[in-house]
Amino acid sequence: DCLPYGHHVLSTPLQIIVPIILLVRLLGWLPPLLGVALLILMMPLGQLLSSRLSGAQSKVMACKDERTKVMNEVIHGIKLLKFFCWEPPYIKKVHKLRANEEKALKRCAMFNVCIYMVTEFAPVAVILVCFAVFHWTGGEMLPATVFPAIALFNIIR
């Protein structure tokens, strides 16, 4: 299973280290260092959100299972429900279970949005921090500096 990905053992460190070295030569040592530090600090946030998403998905599945169980009871006992006029209590029960499921689905969607925001915002934040630090340390923002730096950051991404 891991054989098709074996080349990543050598190429991934090179794809990270070489652009960082080139960024240090291009921008100085402080901006790339702070950018990489920010990227490393964003990793635990993504991990935390992913673990919370996993818990939220488990909750959604539990809600779906409960609602499906009640719906199966309703379908299999529809003659008794109709005969004894038990529809209103079962309708309330199903609506309550569905509301719980929707609440869990919304929570799950919020975690998905947060994970997406972190993954999409992290590379942009790193570039912004690096250029801000580069400018504050007296670096001149020339196209010959900015565009190669952005290309190098996209390689690290």
Side-chain angles (χ1 to χ4, degrees):
D1 283 337
C2 67
L3 189 58
Y5 303 105
H7 67 283
H8 288 293
V9 172
L10 294 176
S11 67
T12 301
L14 286 176
Q15 284 181 336
I16 294 172
I17 293 170
V18 171
I20 289 174
I21 291 171
L22 293 173
L23 281 168
V24 167
R25 290 187 66 205
L26 190 63
L27 302 175
W29 65 273
L30 187 60
L33 178 71
L34 291 176
V36 169
L38 180 64
L39 202 56
I40 290 171
L41 288 174
M42 291 273 202
M43 283 181 196
L45 179 62
Q47 232 175 1
L48 174 72
L49 289 171
S50 294
S51 66
R52 295 279 174 95
L53 175 64
S54 176
Q57 286 174 335
S58 297
K59 175 79 173 160
V60 167
M61 294 311 290
C63 290
K64 283 183 181 184
D65 289 344
E66 185 67 28
R67 185 179 54 86
T68 304
K69 187 176 90 174
V70 170
M71 288 305 297
N72 280 336
E73 285 177 19
V74 168
I75 290 170
H76 289 294
I78 193 72
K79 287 182 182 179
L80 288 173
L81 282 172
K82 291 291 187 182
F83 184 73
F84 291 111
C85 296
W86 288 342
E87 297 103 336
Y90 273 91
I91 289 172
K92 285 181 185 176
K93 189 174 185 179
V94 169
H95 283 303
K96 183 179 177 186
L97 290 171
R98 182 62 187 154
N100 288 341
E101 185 181 346
E102 285 176 354
K103 185 177 171 185
L105 282 168
K106 284 179 185 176
R107 182 174 165 90
C108 201
M110 288 303 295
F111 281 122
N112 274 328
V113 167
C114 290
I115 289 170
Y116 179 76
M117 291 296 290
V118 167
T119 12
E120 292 300 314
F121 177 69
V124 175
V126 167
I127 292 172
L128 290 175
V129 165
C130 283
F131 285 141
V133 171
F134 177 68
H135 180 69
W136 287 330
T137 56
E140 192 173 353
M141 302 287 280
L142 298 172
T145 306
V146 172
F147 291 118
I150 290 173
L152 290 169
F153 280 121
N154 284 332
I155 292 172
I156 294 173
R157 183 185 257 189

